[in-house]
Amino acid sequence: MHKSYNVDSDGYYGDFGGAYIPEMMYSNINELKSKYLEISSQADFIKEFDELLKQYVGRPTPLYFSKRLSREYNSKIYLKREDLCHTGAHKINNTIGQILLAQRLGKTRIIAETGAGQHGVATATVCALMGIKCIVYMGEVDIKRQAPNVARMKMLGAEVKPACSGSKTLKDATNEAIRDWINNPIDTHYIIGSVVGPHPYPDMVARFQSVIGLEVKEQLLEAEGKENPDYVVACVGGGSNAAGLFYPYLDDLKVNIICVEAAGMGIKTGKSAATSILGKEGVIHGSKTLLMQSKDGQITEPYSISAGLDYPGIGPMHANLFRSKRADFISITDKKAMEWGLKLSRMEGIIPAIETSHAFAVLDKKKFMKKDIIVFNCSGRGDKDLDTYINYFKL
Ligand SMILES: *Cc1c(COP(=O)(O)O)cnc(C)c1O
């Protein structure tokens, strides 16, 4: 019998996933695990979630057929426009879902970790919307690098707390958030920003993001008379925008899946974030997955020009897609990604996030056929990256 590529009842995707957590975190995770499916399938939850996605986030986002790219690459190329979501990326789909869940669990305080600040902004946004106290942990180094997003979070009423240990970046912020949650198990919910962390987070976040793929099915049916594309393509940091697009297609083997990782300066340079190729099995932030680590198992610092892709692990769903060969993994250098950021801007009038630019660079690496329908997840817009683009191209 064919095994599903979705999560099993123990929270595993093949060899990966689970909940490798300290005893002190057990009660929080257990509460979430025992209630997330029940709560998120209740009629009033679904109604409020759908309404907010429609009226507040601006869904459904368009599935845009790109005539110019299709002509140049001799196939049928569609863009799923998550860049048009409120706050500029797909991340808000998940934070809306989790804030509704937190309310129904009776939580009055929200914590989150953030690297580039995108997830911090999406969390601060839904906390403002619901009038709930919000604390965002962020590495001291990232606070300096990502000043505009820090300002946004403050404007939205969130408290930004610096993580001053280790490399003072995302993984250290995550450690601080976990520490906070252990100390505040009753009133606090921890909103994780990607399909990472202990079960049930990867499954929960994938479900909230699955609206992306479910909309694509309907939109493609209308545009092409069939629900399934030949390829779905998305960039992978932790893997949430990819999981959202892939979700309804995971077990439909006729739909090819392409995951795009950041090669940074190049796979062999030591300055990269291509986790699938460079990573080994290990445990990070409560989940067994592939991660970049030294010989003695210490997590190594990833690098990418895009702050959203430089996480040292990938979600367990993606680790399994890699190991089982269900998905193709392609890594794209900073240089190629930046070129595609400019190309998409000039060809389509769409300035993509640098994360997103990585996905499009697949067009130069892989040959598609004329009849192929390819859906790219346009995960976010490039406003946050304008300085990086401008300095890079000396515009
Ligand atoms: C955060 C982010 C990503 C990477 O996160 P995933 O969980 O892998 O989706 C990709 N694109 C954009 C625009 C982001 O903000």
Side-chain angles (χ1 to χ4, degrees):
M1 204 188 82
H2 167 65
K3 251 184 112 185
S4 174
Y5 292 95
N6 216 324
V7 74
D8 70 18
S9 54
D10 297 323
Y12 280 84
Y13 299 82
D15 299 333
F16 302 107
Y20 296 79
I21 51 171
E23 191 189 333
M24 307 273 283
M25 228 170 115
Y26 184 79
S27 65
N28 308 32
I29 290 295
N30 206 41
E31 179 185 35
L32 207 54
K33 194 174 80 177
S34 63
K35 298 198 176 139
Y36 82 108
L37 288 176
E38 186 195 319
I39 291 176
S40 63
S41 59
Q42 283 164 358
D44 75 301
F45 181 100
I46 295 171
K47 183 162 179 281
E48 199 176 352
F49 185 56
D50 288 351
E51 260 171 33
L52 282 170
L53 288 184
K54 186 171 173 199
Q55 308 293 354
Y56 188 72
V57 175
R59 306 204 71 91
T61 58
L63 181 69
Y64 164 68
F65 177 70
S66 166
K67 279 193 193 131
R68 294 186 71 190
L69 282 179
S70 298
R71 206 176 305 137
E72 183 169 334
Y73 289 90
N74 205 22
S75 49
K76 289 186 169 177
I77 295 171
Y78 284 88
L79 275 55
K80 181 58 174 163
R81 298 290 310 277
E82 293 303 294
D83 58 313
L84 295 178
C85 290
H86 178 45
T87 70
H90 65 286
K91 287 196 173 71
I92 189 114
N93 303 324
N94 168 48
T95 57
I96 295 259
Q98 286 203 50
I99 199 83
L100 295 180
L101 184 75
Q103 285 179 319
R104 283 157 177 80
L105 289 170
K107 307 291 179 179
T108 55
R109 182 176 174 270
I110 295 294
I111 56 171
E113 85 295 338
T114 198
Q118 294 300 104
H119 173 56
V121 169
T123 303
T125 299
V126 297
C127 287
L129 177 68
M130 298 300 177
I132 296 181
K133 186 175 163 64
C134 178
I135 293 128
V136 180
Y137 289 93
M138 190 168 187
E140 214 176 19
V141 169
D142 290 334
I143 288 179
K144 291 208 183 85
R145 285 197 291 204
Q146 311 289 337
N149 275 340
V150 175
R152 280 186 194 106
M153 286 182 265
K154 289 186 177 163
M155 188 74 190
L156 292 160
E159 183 185 347
V160 181
K161 283 197 181 174
C164 307
S165 65
S167 54
K168 305 182 175 62
T169 59
L170 177 60
K171 73 172 167 50
D172 312 291
T174 306
N175 290 336
E176 291 296 329
I178 289 172
R179 200 165 302 151
D180 179 312
W181 207 23
I182 287 171
N183 291 326
N184 299 284
I186 307 294
D187 65 344
T188 299
H189 175 67
Y190 177 16
I191 299 189
I192 293 185
S194 190
V195 285
V196 300
H199 178 66
Y201 278 101
D203 182 48
M204 180 169 70
V205 177
R207 283 168 184 267
F208 291 147
Q209 291 290 2
S210 69
V211 63
I212 301 172
L214 293 169
E215 284 177 6
V216 168
K217 278 199 146 187
E218 273 184 32
Q219 292 167 321
L220 215 51
L221 185 62
E222 200 177 310
E224 294 282 344
K226 59 179 197 166
E227 289 186 332
N228 292 358
D230 297 288
Y231 291 88
V232 281
V233 186
C235 65
V236 174
S240 67
N241 85 86
L245 174 61
F246 304 164
Y247 198 86
Y249 300 119
L250 282 174
D251 291 326
D252 193 336
L253 302 183
K254 287 201 283 298
V255 179
N256 297 288
I257 295 176
I258 300 180
C259 295
V260 186
E261 291 182 313
M265 311 274 240
I267 298 284
K268 294 189 184 113
T269 61
K271 298 205 80 175
S272 161
T275 310
S276 65
I277 298 169
L278 298 170
K280 291 193 190 63
E281 198 169 310
V283 171
I284 182 170
H285 302 136
S287 172
K288 191 203 271 187
T289 189
L290 295 172
L291 64 126
M292 293 168 44
Q293 50 189 306
S294 65
K295 275 207 302 291
D296 50 1
Q298 290 300 307
I299 292 162
T300 52
E301 199 62 23
Y303 164 81
S304 162
I305 195 166
S306 80
L309 299 186
D310 68 355
Y311 185 66
I314 46 172
M317 174 199 284
H318 302 70
N320 185 49
L321 292 176
F322 177 74
R323 183 167 282 179
S324 64
K325 300 193 163 64
R326 169 69 182 94
D328 264 350
F329 279 68
I330 295 179
S331 50
I332 298 296
T333 58
D334 287 357
K335 183 169 181 292
K336 271 285 166 197
M338 293 302 280
E339 285 167 17
W340 266 93
L342 194 60
K343 180 159 181 169
L344 202 70
S345 301
R346 302 276 163 99
M347 264 185 93
E348 294 294 346
I350 296 170
I351 304 173
I354 302 176
E355 292 84 355
T356 311
S357 303
H358 285 73
F360 288 96
V362 161
L363 286 167
D364 290 329
K365 277 218 159 181
K366 191 172 166 69
K367 192 105 186 75
F368 296 98
M369 291 196 286
K370 185 156 178 61
K371 63 160 187 48
D372 284 342
I373 297 171
I374 311 157
V375 175
F376 285 89
N377 207 8
C378 200
S379 60
R381 61 175 173 247
D383 307 30
K384 69 184 178 63
D385 298 318
L386 280 181
D387 272 354
T388 314
Y389 281 132
I390 294 277
N391 291 332
Y392 189 88
F393 293 110
K394 308 204 170 25
L395 295 176

